């Protein structure tokens, strides 16, 4: 399986920002940047300023996940800061989804949406042809370290079936509790991109090269055992 890994940078050691990014630059398929506003979710994390500084030290695509009530306010700042992919929750933009997706695409960047555990796959039907990526939350949004919700894997399978039936081209991605305990069952869903955070990557070793090697070993062992 040719899995793609996207480190969740809200989980990294920010006191070692350059060191850890430079260690991952030749390994990561994407860098996942969570922006939370303290309103849509009760947490505040990274920012367009973080994207701007990340852009200075990497060519890896920067994938922004907006957990905010007004994505229209943040999207222009993310574009200006150097984001490559911007995704938001459809619940926050029901009356402007097409406009926001086209704004991102017209800037020459990729766009996506993020589906909460309780949001069905069918929610994307009207605009799926515009999407470059669909992210499925396998935990409720807002905080790291939550318990994995296995029912979300059926949603990934549905999204892949819909993509094949309609000729759409979005990547499927999973966000939440991707680690040695869940890699096998997640991979069996067919998902292409794994977002890895504290339990899946950053807590595995102090040295980032060692942590990445252990993550890949955990993934391979889980695939072999499945």
């Amino acid at each position: 399986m040719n899995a793609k890994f996207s480190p969740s940078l809200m989980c990294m050691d920010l006191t070692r920002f350059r060191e850890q990014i430079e260690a991952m630059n030749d390994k990561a398929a994407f860098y996942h940047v969570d922006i939370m506003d303290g309103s849509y979710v009760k947490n505040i994390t990274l920012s367009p300023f973080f994207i701007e500084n990340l852009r200075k030290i990497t060519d890896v695509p920067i994938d922004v996940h907006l957990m905010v009530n007004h994505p229209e306010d943040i999207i222009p700042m993310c574009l200006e800061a150097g984001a490559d992919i911007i995704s938001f929750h459809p619940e926050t933009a029901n009356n402007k989804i097409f406009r926001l997706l086209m704004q991102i695409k017209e800037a020459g960047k990729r766009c996506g949406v993020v589906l909460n555990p309780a949001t069905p796959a069918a929610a994307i039907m009207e605009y799926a042809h515009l999407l470059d990526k669909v992210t499925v939350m396998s935990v409720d949004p807002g905080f790291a370290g939550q318990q994995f919700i296995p029912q979300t894997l059926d949603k990934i399978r549905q999204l892949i079936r819909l993509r094949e039936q309609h000729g759409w081209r979005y990547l499927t991605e999973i966000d939440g509790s991707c680690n040695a305990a869940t890699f096998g069952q997640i991979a069996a869903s067919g998902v292409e991109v794994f977002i890895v955070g504290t339990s899946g990557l950053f807590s595995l070793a102090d040295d980032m090269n060692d942590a990445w090697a252990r993550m890949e070993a955990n993934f391979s062992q889980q695939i072999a055992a499945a």
Side-chain angles (χ1 to χ4, degrees):
M1 178 182 181
N2 187 23
K4 300 178 186 296
F5 295 103
S6 180
S8 177
L9 299 189
M10 72 179 237
C11 302
M12 72 184 298
D13 183 349
L14 290 176
T15 68
R16 301 165 63 194
F17 175 67
R18 179 181 287 274
E19 171 194 343
Q20 292 196 338
I21 292 298
E22 290 180 346
M24 294 188 289
N25 274 341
D26 63 347
K27 304 175 180 66
F30 308 98
Y31 284 134
H32 188 80
V33 176
D34 288 302
I35 296 182
M36 308 180 191
D37 63 357
S39 178
Y40 180 67
V41 293
K42 298 300 181 183
N43 197 5
I44 296 175
T45 50
L46 306 176
S47 69
F49 179 72
F50 179 89
I51 298 169
E52 183 180 342
N53 284 274
L54 176 61
R55 181 82 288 164
K56 295 174 183 177
I57 58 172
T58 190
D59 292 323
V60 173
I62 298 173
D63 181 14
V64 179
H65 174 189
L66 296 179
M67 282 177 265
V68 301
N69 271 328
H70 298 285
E72 67 275 12
D73 294 338
I74 309 296
I75 287 171
M77 290 187 281
C78 292
L79 292 170
E80 184 176 355
D84 297 290
I85 311 167
I86 302 176
S87 300
F88 54 86
H89 290 255
E91 295 89 347
T92 68
N94 280 329
N95 64 338
K96 58 182 83 72
I97 285 179
F98 281 87
R99 180 161 24 109
L100 295 183
L101 294 176
M102 291 308 300
Q103 179 183 6
I104 297 166
K105 294 182 85 68
E106 288 169 2
K109 305 301 181 180
R110 287 176 277 176
C111 64
V113 293
V114 184
L115 303 182
N116 288 331
T119 304
I124 71 167
M125 290 295 292
E126 300 301 326
Y127 48 84
H129 61 288
L130 296 173
L131 300 176
D132 299 295
K133 184 162 64 67
V134 179
T135 303
V136 171
M137 298 294 298
S138 54
V139 299
D140 287 328
F143 293 91
Q146 298 184 64
Q147 186 173 354
F148 181 75
I149 302 172
Q151 293 88 342
T152 56
L153 299 179
D154 287 336
K155 188 184 306 180
I156 291 169
R157 295 184 181 97
Q158 292 174 43
L159 289 165
I160 292 171
R161 285 197 298 270
L162 287 169
R163 181 179 66 189
E164 292 172 350
Q165 290 168 5
H166 295 275
W168 296 328
R169 57 187 179 84
Y170 52 73
L171 283 172
T172 58
E173 177 180 73
I174 188 163
D175 186 0
S177 293
C178 294
N179 54 45
T182 61
F183 278 146
Q185 60 182 313
I186 293 172
S189 73
V191 73
E192 288 108 355
V193 185
F194 296 73
I195 296 173
V196 285
T198 301
S199 64
L201 174 62
F202 291 101
S203 68
L204 299 184
D206 185 61
D207 179 82
M208 184 49 57
N209 289 298
D210 292 342
W212 195 280
R214 292 184 186 184
M215 177 196 68
E216 289 188 325
N218 288 339
F219 184 83
S220 297
Q221 289 167 8
Q222 282 277 303
I223 298 303

